[in-house]
Amino acid sequence: VAHGSVDPLQQSEGSDANGQRAGRPLAPEARETHPEDLDVEELRALVRARENEAAAVGQQLERVSRKLSDAERRALEATAMAKGLKIELEHTQRALQSKRTREPPVSQMRQELEDMAMRLEITTDTNEALKVSFSAQLESKDEELGVYHELLNQTRASFHAAVVDMQTALDRERRDREAAAAATPSCPCTLR
């Protein structure tokens, strides 16, 4: 996150650039900070917070996956129902053919056949609508998953880079102090 900008994970609907969310401030680790202003412990706390957010995103992804599985199950049930109705229609047609030899009321058989054909058509249409809906939901959720994964990877890379930068700065500062200590004479009597 560049200095002066707000992390998209931190500023969502209902929050502003000052770290306020629905009338209450965000937690201190969620406020926008610059990596040079943080010490290692603060970075670790921020990394833990991001890992917790990643776990929450993972749980949300699992819920979405379960919803998609339910939609797929309903689509399969509708397909099975359509097949069952088709078989029932065929049985009825055969029964109609066999009953014609006994001279049953034709109008009743036609009505039953038309009713079954109508139910089959409705079930087929419902099945097709469920397939289209499921496909659209699946595409949408795949796109959301891609965005979540990309955002998570960017956040991890950002924090990793900040930790490496902080460690490098600390190592450089330690080496400078050691060099300064080595260059300074340890005995004041040799200073003349």
PDB file of all heavy atoms in Angstrom, residues 58-90:
ATOM      1  N   GLY A  58     -11.410 -17.577   3.500  1.00  0.00           N
ATOM      2  CA  GLY A  58     -11.475 -19.008   3.202  1.00  0.00           C
ATOM      3  C   GLY A  58     -12.793 -19.617   3.649  1.00  0.00           C
ATOM      4  O   GLY A  58     -13.394 -20.425   2.944  1.00  0.00           O
ATOM      5  N   GLN A  59     -13.265 -19.221   4.843  1.00  0.00           N
ATOM      6  CA  GLN A  59     -14.551 -19.726   5.324  1.00  0.00           C
ATOM      7  C   GLN A  59     -15.687 -19.261   4.421  1.00  0.00           C
ATOM      8  O   GLN A  59     -16.604 -20.022   4.116  1.00  0.00           O
ATOM      9  CB  GLN A  59     -14.800 -19.272   6.768  1.00  0.00           C
ATOM     10  CG  GLN A  59     -13.876 -19.938   7.763  1.00  0.00           C
ATOM     11  CD  GLN A  59     -13.987 -19.322   9.150  1.00  0.00           C
ATOM     12  OE1 GLN A  59     -14.672 -18.328   9.349  1.00  0.00           O
ATOM     13  NE2 GLN A  59     -13.305 -19.937  10.108  1.00  0.00           N
ATOM     14  N   GLN A  60     -15.610 -18.003   4.001  1.00  0.00           N
ATOM     15  CA  GLN A  60     -16.649 -17.492   3.100  1.00  0.00           C
ATOM     16  C   GLN A  60     -16.622 -18.259   1.776  1.00  0.00           C
ATOM     17  O   GLN A  60     -17.667 -18.589   1.225  1.00  0.00           O
ATOM     18  CB  GLN A  60     -16.436 -16.002   2.853  1.00  0.00           C
ATOM     19  CG  GLN A  60     -17.509 -15.388   1.979  1.00  0.00           C
ATOM     20  CD  GLN A  60     -17.285 -13.910   1.754  1.00  0.00           C
ATOM     21  OE1 GLN A  60     -16.280 -13.352   2.135  1.00  0.00           O
ATOM     22  NE2 GLN A  60     -18.241 -13.270   1.139  1.00  0.00           N
ATOM     23  N   LEU A  61     -15.435 -18.582   1.293  1.00  0.00           N
ATOM     24  CA  LEU A  61     -15.322 -19.339   0.050  1.00  0.00           C
ATOM     25  C   LEU A  61     -15.918 -20.726   0.215  1.00  0.00           C
ATOM     26  O   LEU A  61     -16.554 -21.259  -0.704  1.00  0.00           O
ATOM     27  CB  LEU A  61     -13.862 -19.430  -0.386  1.00  0.00           C
ATOM     28  CG  LEU A  61     -13.211 -18.106  -0.806  1.00  0.00           C
ATOM     29  CD1 LEU A  61     -11.745 -18.324  -1.114  1.00  0.00           C
ATOM     30  CD2 LEU A  61     -13.923 -17.492  -1.977  1.00  0.00           C
ATOM     31  N   GLU A  62     -15.742 -21.334   1.383  1.00  0.00           N
ATOM     32  CA  GLU A  62     -16.339 -22.649   1.635  1.00  0.00           C
ATOM     33  C   GLU A  62     -17.858 -22.564   1.623  1.00  0.00           C
ATOM     34  O   GLU A  62     -18.529 -23.435   1.072  1.00  0.00           O
ATOM     35  CB  GLU A  62     -15.864 -23.197   2.984  1.00  0.00           C
ATOM     36  CG  GLU A  62     -14.425 -23.651   2.980  1.00  0.00           C
ATOM     37  CD  GLU A  62     -13.949 -24.145   4.340  1.00  0.00           C
ATOM     38  OE1 GLU A  62     -14.798 -24.464   5.199  1.00  0.00           O
ATOM     39  OE2 GLU A  62     -12.744 -24.206   4.522  1.00  0.00           O
ATOM     40  N   ARG A  63     -18.418 -21.485   2.224  1.00  0.00           N
ATOM     41  CA  ARG A  63     -19.882 -21.323   2.211  1.00  0.00           C
ATOM     42  C   ARG A  63     -20.392 -21.160   0.784  1.00  0.00           C
ATOM     43  O   ARG A  63     -21.405 -21.752   0.407  1.00  0.00           O
ATOM     44  CB  ARG A  63     -20.280 -20.105   3.050  1.00  0.00           C
ATOM     45  CG  ARG A  63     -20.182 -20.342   4.555  1.00  0.00           C
ATOM     46  CD  ARG A  63     -20.843 -19.231   5.334  1.00  0.00           C
ATOM     47  NE  ARG A  63     -20.248 -17.936   5.108  1.00  0.00           N
ATOM     48  CZ  ARG A  63     -19.248 -17.427   5.797  1.00  0.00           C
ATOM     49  NH1 ARG A  63     -18.715 -18.106   6.779  1.00  0.00           N
ATOM     50  NH2 ARG A  63     -18.774 -16.234   5.512  1.00  0.00           N
ATOM     51  N   VAL A  64     -19.671 -20.383  -0.021  1.00  0.00           N
ATOM     52  CA  VAL A  64     -20.078 -20.187  -1.412  1.00  0.00           C
ATOM     53  C   VAL A  64     -20.023 -21.516  -2.156  1.00  0.00           C
ATOM     54  O   VAL A  64     -20.916 -21.851  -2.936  1.00  0.00           O
ATOM     55  CB  VAL A  64     -19.174 -19.126  -2.089  1.00  0.00           C
ATOM     56  CG1 VAL A  64     -19.367 -19.124  -3.587  1.00  0.00           C
ATOM     57  CG2 VAL A  64     -19.461 -17.755  -1.516  1.00  0.00           C
ATOM     58  N   SER A  65     -18.979 -22.303  -1.897  1.00  0.00           N
ATOM     59  CA  SER A  65     -18.840 -23.605  -2.548  1.00  0.00           C
ATOM     60  C   SER A  65     -19.994 -24.524  -2.175  1.00  0.00           C
ATOM     61  O   SER A  65     -20.522 -25.240  -3.024  1.00  0.00           O
ATOM     62  CB  SER A  65     -17.504 -24.228  -2.138  1.00  0.00           C
ATOM     63  OG  SER A  65     -17.358 -25.495  -2.700  1.00  0.00           O
ATOM     64  N   ARG A  66     -20.394 -24.504  -0.891  1.00  0.00           N
ATOM     65  CA  ARG A  66     -21.533 -25.336  -0.479  1.00  0.00           C
ATOM     66  C   ARG A  66     -22.813 -24.888  -1.182  1.00  0.00           C
ATOM     67  O   ARG A  66     -23.609 -25.714  -1.605  1.00  0.00           O
ATOM     68  CB  ARG A  66     -21.721 -25.264   1.044  1.00  0.00           C
ATOM     69  CG  ARG A  66     -20.719 -26.129   1.801  1.00  0.00           C
ATOM     70  CD  ARG A  66     -21.122 -26.288   3.247  1.00  0.00           C
ATOM     71  NE  ARG A  66     -21.177 -25.033   3.966  1.00  0.00           N
ATOM     72  CZ  ARG A  66     -20.169 -24.493   4.631  1.00  0.00           C
ATOM     73  NH1 ARG A  66     -19.022 -25.101   4.680  1.00  0.00           N
ATOM     74  NH2 ARG A  66     -20.324 -23.354   5.271  1.00  0.00           N
ATOM     75  N   LYS A  67     -23.011 -23.569  -1.323  1.00  0.00           N
ATOM     76  CA  LYS A  67     -24.206 -23.075  -2.019  1.00  0.00           C
ATOM     77  C   LYS A  67     -24.208 -23.533  -3.477  1.00  0.00           C
ATOM     78  O   LYS A  67     -25.242 -23.919  -4.009  1.00  0.00           O
ATOM     79  CB  LYS A  67     -24.271 -21.546  -1.949  1.00  0.00           C
ATOM     80  CG  LYS A  67     -24.668 -21.021  -0.590  1.00  0.00           C
ATOM     81  CD  LYS A  67     -24.726 -19.510  -0.589  1.00  0.00           C
ATOM     82  CE  LYS A  67     -25.042 -18.966   0.790  1.00  0.00           C
ATOM     83  NZ  LYS A  67     -25.050 -17.502   0.806  1.00  0.00           N
ATOM     84  N   LEU A  68     -23.031 -23.492  -4.105  1.00  0.00           N
ATOM     85  CA  LEU A  68     -22.938 -23.935  -5.489  1.00  0.00           C
ATOM     86  C   LEU A  68     -23.228 -25.429  -5.595  1.00  0.00           C
ATOM     87  O   LEU A  68     -23.880 -25.884  -6.529  1.00  0.00           O
ATOM     88  CB  LEU A  68     -21.567 -23.608  -6.068  1.00  0.00           C
ATOM     89  CG  LEU A  68     -21.307 -22.129  -6.327  1.00  0.00           C
ATOM     90  CD1 LEU A  68     -19.875 -21.927  -6.780  1.00  0.00           C
ATOM     91  CD2 LEU A  68     -22.273 -21.561  -7.333  1.00  0.00           C
ATOM     92  N   SER A  69     -22.743 -26.208  -4.623  1.00  0.00           N
ATOM     93  CA  SER A  69     -23.011 -27.647  -4.620  1.00  0.00           C
ATOM     94  C   SER A  69     -24.506 -27.913  -4.475  1.00  0.00           C
ATOM     95  O   SER A  69     -25.050 -28.808  -5.122  1.00  0.00           O
ATOM     96  CB  SER A  69     -22.260 -28.328  -3.473  1.00  0.00           C
ATOM     97  OG  SER A  69     -20.877 -28.220  -3.673  1.00  0.00           O
ATOM     98  N   ASP A  70     -25.185 -27.125  -3.630  1.00  0.00           N
ATOM     99  CA  ASP A  70     -26.637 -27.278  -3.472  1.00  0.00           C
ATOM    100  C   ASP A  70     -27.359 -26.967  -4.779  1.00  0.00           C
ATOM    101  O   ASP A  70     -28.303 -27.664  -5.169  1.00  0.00           O
ATOM    102  CB  ASP A  70     -27.159 -26.361  -2.361  1.00  0.00           C
ATOM    103  CG  ASP A  70     -26.734 -26.827  -0.983  1.00  0.00           C
ATOM    104  OD1 ASP A  70     -26.321 -27.993  -0.833  1.00  0.00           O
ATOM    105  OD2 ASP A  70     -26.827 -26.003  -0.052  1.00  0.00           O
ATOM    106  N   ALA A  71     -26.927 -25.921  -5.476  1.00  0.00           N
ATOM    107  CA  ALA A  71     -27.558 -25.567  -6.749  1.00  0.00           C
ATOM    108  C   ALA A  71     -27.344 -26.674  -7.778  1.00  0.00           C
ATOM    109  O   ALA A  71     -28.261 -27.022  -8.534  1.00  0.00           O
ATOM    110  CB  ALA A  71     -27.001 -24.242  -7.273  1.00  0.00           C
ATOM    111  N   GLU A  72     -26.150 -27.251  -7.793  1.00  0.00           N
ATOM    112  CA  GLU A  72     -25.867 -28.343  -8.725  1.00  0.00           C
ATOM    113  C   GLU A  72     -26.732 -29.566  -8.390  1.00  0.00           C
ATOM    114  O   GLU A  72     -27.278 -30.210  -9.270  1.00  0.00           O
ATOM    115  CB  GLU A  72     -24.388 -28.716  -8.654  1.00  0.00           C
ATOM    116  CG  GLU A  72     -24.012 -29.801  -9.637  1.00  0.00           C
ATOM    117  CD  GLU A  72     -22.527 -30.128  -9.564  1.00  0.00           C
ATOM    118  OE1 GLU A  72     -21.893 -29.856  -8.529  1.00  0.00           O
ATOM    119  OE2 GLU A  72     -22.019 -30.666 -10.558  1.00  0.00           O
ATOM    120  N   ARG A  73     -26.902 -29.846  -7.094  1.00  0.00           N
ATOM    121  CA  ARG A  73     -27.733 -30.977  -6.666  1.00  0.00           C
ATOM    122  C   ARG A  73     -29.179 -30.766  -7.111  1.00  0.00           C
ATOM    123  O   ARG A  73     -29.822 -31.668  -7.635  1.00  0.00           O
ATOM    124  CB  ARG A  73     -27.666 -31.131  -5.145  1.00  0.00           C
ATOM    125  CG  ARG A  73     -28.508 -32.286  -4.611  1.00  0.00           C
ATOM    126  CD  ARG A  73     -28.531 -32.339  -3.093  1.00  0.00           C
ATOM    127  NE  ARG A  73     -28.723 -31.067  -2.438  1.00  0.00           N
ATOM    128  CZ  ARG A  73     -29.917 -30.464  -2.289  1.00  0.00           C
ATOM    129  NH1 ARG A  73     -30.999 -31.018  -2.751  1.00  0.00           N
ATOM    130  NH2 ARG A  73     -30.006 -29.309  -1.662  1.00  0.00           N
ATOM    131  N   ARG A  74     -29.688 -29.530  -6.959  1.00  0.00           N
ATOM    132  CA  ARG A  74     -31.066 -29.244  -7.386  1.00  0.00           C
ATOM    133  C   ARG A  74     -31.215 -29.411  -8.900  1.00  0.00           C
ATOM    134  O   ARG A  74     -32.229 -29.914  -9.381  1.00  0.00           O
ATOM    135  CB  ARG A  74     -31.465 -27.834  -6.956  1.00  0.00           C
ATOM    136  CG  ARG A  74     -31.730 -27.719  -5.462  1.00  0.00           C
ATOM    137  CD  ARG A  74     -32.430 -26.425  -5.106  1.00  0.00           C
ATOM    138  NE  ARG A  74     -31.741 -25.231  -5.547  1.00  0.00           N
ATOM    139  CZ  ARG A  74     -30.865 -24.546  -4.833  1.00  0.00           C
ATOM    140  NH1 ARG A  74     -30.565 -24.934  -3.622  1.00  0.00           N
ATOM    141  NH2 ARG A  74     -30.302 -23.471  -5.321  1.00  0.00           N
ATOM    142  N   ALA A  75     -30.180 -28.994  -9.640  1.00  0.00           N
ATOM    143  CA  ALA A  75     -30.233 -29.157 -11.089  1.00  0.00           C
ATOM    144  C   ALA A  75     -30.259 -30.638 -11.466  1.00  0.00           C
ATOM    145  O   ALA A  75     -31.009 -31.049 -12.360  1.00  0.00           O
ATOM    146  CB  ALA A  75     -29.038 -28.460 -11.749  1.00  0.00           C
ATOM    147  N   LEU A  76     -29.466 -31.451 -10.778  1.00  0.00           N
ATOM    148  CA  LEU A  76     -29.463 -32.891 -11.046  1.00  0.00           C
ATOM    149  C   LEU A  76     -30.802 -33.520 -10.673  1.00  0.00           C
ATOM    150  O   LEU A  76     -31.307 -34.401 -11.381  1.00  0.00           O
ATOM    151  CB  LEU A  76     -28.327 -33.571 -10.278  1.00  0.00           C
ATOM    152  CG  LEU A  76     -26.909 -33.245 -10.775  1.00  0.00           C
ATOM    153  CD1 LEU A  76     -25.875 -33.855  -9.836  1.00  0.00           C
ATOM    154  CD2 LEU A  76     -26.705 -33.731 -12.190  1.00  0.00           C
ATOM    155  N   GLU A  77     -31.392 -33.058  -9.563  1.00  0.00           N
ATOM    156  CA  GLU A  77     -32.707 -33.574  -9.173  1.00  0.00           C
ATOM    157  C   GLU A  77     -33.758 -33.223 -10.223  1.00  0.00           C
ATOM    158  O   GLU A  77     -34.618 -34.044 -10.548  1.00  0.00           O
ATOM    159  CB  GLU A  77     -33.125 -33.005  -7.809  1.00  0.00           C
ATOM    160  CG  GLU A  77     -32.350 -33.594  -6.653  1.00  0.00           C
ATOM    161  CD  GLU A  77     -32.634 -32.873  -5.328  1.00  0.00           C
ATOM    162  OE1 GLU A  77     -33.385 -31.867  -5.334  1.00  0.00           O
ATOM    163  OE2 GLU A  77     -32.101 -33.331  -4.311  1.00  0.00           O
ATOM    164  N   ALA A  78     -33.687 -31.994 -10.741  1.00  0.00           N
ATOM    165  CA  ALA A  78     -34.644 -31.584 -11.773  1.00  0.00           C
ATOM    166  C   ALA A  78     -34.457 -32.431 -13.034  1.00  0.00           C
ATOM    167  O   ALA A  78     -35.435 -32.808 -13.688  1.00  0.00           O
ATOM    168  CB  ALA A  78     -34.481 -30.099 -12.094  1.00  0.00           C
ATOM    169  N   THR A  79     -33.208 -32.735 -13.383  1.00  0.00           N
ATOM    170  CA  THR A  79     -32.943 -33.589 -14.543  1.00  0.00           C
ATOM    171  C   THR A  79     -33.524 -34.978 -14.318  1.00  0.00           C
ATOM    172  O   THR A  79     -34.164 -35.553 -15.215  1.00  0.00           O
ATOM    173  CB  THR A  79     -31.422 -33.690 -14.793  1.00  0.00           C
ATOM    174  OG1 THR A  79     -30.905 -32.386 -15.004  1.00  0.00           O
ATOM    175  CG2 THR A  79     -31.123 -34.548 -15.982  1.00  0.00           C
ATOM    176  N   ALA A  80     -33.321 -35.514 -13.117  1.00  0.00           N
ATOM    177  CA  ALA A  80     -33.870 -36.838 -12.810  1.00  0.00           C
ATOM    178  C   ALA A  80     -35.397 -36.815 -12.854  1.00  0.00           C
ATOM    179  O   ALA A  80     -36.035 -37.755 -13.359  1.00  0.00           O
ATOM    180  CB  ALA A  80     -33.386 -37.304 -11.440  1.00  0.00           C
ATOM    181  N   MET A  81     -35.995 -35.741 -12.346  1.00  0.00           N
ATOM    182  CA  MET A  81     -37.447 -35.628 -12.368  1.00  0.00           C
ATOM    183  C   MET A  81     -37.956 -35.576 -13.808  1.00  0.00           C
ATOM    184  O   MET A  81     -38.957 -36.206 -14.152  1.00  0.00           O
ATOM    185  CB  MET A  81     -37.907 -34.369 -11.624  1.00  0.00           C
ATOM    186  CG  MET A  81     -39.424 -34.244 -11.525  1.00  0.00           C
ATOM    187  SD  MET A  81     -40.001 -32.682 -10.824  1.00  0.00           S
ATOM    188  CE  MET A  81     -39.219 -32.697  -9.248  1.00  0.00           C
ATOM    189  N   ALA A  82     -37.233 -34.831 -14.664  1.00  0.00           N
ATOM    190  CA  ALA A  82     -37.630 -34.740 -16.064  1.00  0.00           C
ATOM    191  C   ALA A  82     -37.554 -36.111 -16.736  1.00  0.00           C
ATOM    192  O   ALA A  82     -38.456 -36.487 -17.503  1.00  0.00           O
ATOM    193  CB  ALA A  82     -36.745 -33.739 -16.801  1.00  0.00           C
ATOM    194  N   LYS A  83     -36.503 -36.872 -16.431  1.00  0.00           N
ATOM    195  CA  LYS A  83     -36.387 -38.221 -16.998  1.00  0.00           C
ATOM    196  C   LYS A  83     -37.526 -39.110 -16.512  1.00  0.00           C
ATOM    197  O   LYS A  83     -38.107 -39.881 -17.281  1.00  0.00           O
ATOM    198  CB  LYS A  83     -35.039 -38.842 -16.626  1.00  0.00           C
ATOM    199  CG  LYS A  83     -33.869 -38.248 -17.368  1.00  0.00           C
ATOM    200  CD  LYS A  83     -32.563 -38.902 -16.944  1.00  0.00           C
ATOM    201  CE  LYS A  83     -31.381 -38.259 -17.656  1.00  0.00           C
ATOM    202  NZ  LYS A  83     -30.105 -38.833 -17.215  1.00  0.00           N
ATOM    203  N   GLY A  84     -37.837 -38.988 -15.216  1.00  0.00           N
ATOM    204  CA  GLY A  84     -38.936 -39.771 -14.658  1.00  0.00           C
ATOM    205  C   GLY A  84     -40.267 -39.442 -15.320  1.00  0.00           C
ATOM    206  O   GLY A  84     -41.061 -40.345 -15.644  1.00  0.00           O
ATOM    207  N   LEU A  85     -40.499 -38.150 -15.535  1.00  0.00           N
ATOM    208  CA  LEU A  85     -41.740 -37.748 -16.200  1.00  0.00           C
ATOM    209  C   LEU A  85     -41.780 -38.221 -17.648  1.00  0.00           C
ATOM    210  O   LEU A  85     -42.835 -38.595 -18.163  1.00  0.00           O
ATOM    211  CB  LEU A  85     -41.909 -36.233 -16.132  1.00  0.00           C
ATOM    212  CG  LEU A  85     -42.277 -35.677 -14.761  1.00  0.00           C
ATOM    213  CD1 LEU A  85     -42.257 -34.158 -14.800  1.00  0.00           C
ATOM    214  CD2 LEU A  85     -43.627 -36.188 -14.311  1.00  0.00           C
ATOM    215  N   LYS A  86     -40.626 -38.219 -18.297  1.00  0.00           N
ATOM    216  CA  LYS A  86     -40.561 -38.696 -19.681  1.00  0.00           C
ATOM    217  C   LYS A  86     -40.902 -40.186 -19.736  1.00  0.00           C
ATOM    218  O   LYS A  86     -41.667 -40.626 -20.600  1.00  0.00           O
ATOM    219  CB  LYS A  86     -39.168 -38.437 -20.243  1.00  0.00           C
ATOM    220  CG  LYS A  86     -39.061 -38.589 -21.729  1.00  0.00           C
ATOM    221  CD  LYS A  86     -37.697 -38.127 -22.197  1.00  0.00           C
ATOM    222  CE  LYS A  86     -37.666 -38.008 -23.693  1.00  0.00           C
ATOM    223  NZ  LYS A  86     -36.368 -37.511 -24.154  1.00  0.00           N
ATOM    224  N   ILE A  87     -40.343 -40.945 -18.786  1.00  0.00           N
ATOM    225  CA  ILE A  87     -40.655 -42.382 -18.726  1.00  0.00           C
ATOM    226  C   ILE A  87     -42.137 -42.585 -18.439  1.00  0.00           C
ATOM    227  O   ILE A  87     -42.804 -43.427 -19.057  1.00  0.00           O
ATOM    228  CB  ILE A  87     -39.768 -43.070 -17.664  1.00  0.00           C
ATOM    229  CG1 ILE A  87     -38.319 -43.083 -18.142  1.00  0.00           C
ATOM    230  CG2 ILE A  87     -40.258 -44.479 -17.364  1.00  0.00           C
ATOM    231  CD1 ILE A  87     -37.325 -43.521 -17.072  1.00  0.00           C
ATOM    232  N   GLU A  88     -42.649 -41.797 -17.501  1.00  0.00           N
ATOM    233  CA  GLU A  88     -44.080 -41.891 -17.170  1.00  0.00           C
ATOM    234  C   GLU A  88     -44.939 -41.560 -18.388  1.00  0.00           C
ATOM    235  O   GLU A  88     -45.959 -42.214 -18.641  1.00  0.00           O
ATOM    236  CB  GLU A  88     -44.391 -40.929 -16.021  1.00  0.00           C
ATOM    237  CG  GLU A  88     -45.776 -41.091 -15.444  1.00  0.00           C
ATOM    238  CD  GLU A  88     -46.004 -40.146 -14.269  1.00  0.00           C
ATOM    239  OE1 GLU A  88     -45.038 -39.796 -13.577  1.00  0.00           O
ATOM    240  OE2 GLU A  88     -47.173 -39.767 -14.064  1.00  0.00           O
ATOM    241  N   LEU A  89     -44.510 -40.579 -19.160  1.00  0.00           N
ATOM    242  CA  LEU A  89     -45.241 -40.215 -20.379  1.00  0.00           C
ATOM    243  C   LEU A  89     -45.223 -41.370 -21.376  1.00  0.00           C
ATOM    244  O   LEU A  89     -46.247 -41.682 -21.994  1.00  0.00           O
ATOM    245  CB  LEU A  89     -44.616 -38.957 -20.994  1.00  0.00           C
ATOM    246  CG  LEU A  89     -45.244 -38.458 -22.295  1.00  0.00           C
ATOM    247  CD1 LEU A  89     -46.698 -38.074 -22.084  1.00  0.00           C
ATOM    248  CD2 LEU A  89     -44.454 -37.277 -22.832  1.00  0.00           C
ATOM    249  N   GLU A  90     -44.056 -41.998 -21.529  1.00  0.00           N
ATOM    250  CA  GLU A  90     -43.974 -43.137 -22.443  1.00  0.00           C
ATOM    251  C   GLU A  90     -44.880 -44.278 -21.988  1.00  0.00           C
ATOM    252  O   GLU A  90     -45.572 -44.897 -22.802  1.00  0.00           O
ATOM    253  CB  GLU A  90     -42.529 -43.633 -22.542  1.00  0.00           C
ATOM    254  CG  GLU A  90     -41.612 -42.663 -23.265  1.00  0.00           C
ATOM    255  CD  GLU A  90     -40.144 -43.067 -23.182  1.00  0.00           C
ATOM    256  OE1 GLU A  90     -39.834 -44.130 -22.607  1.00  0.00           O
ATOM    257  OE2 GLU A  90     -39.323 -42.307 -23.715  1.00  0.00           O
TER     258      GLU A  90
END
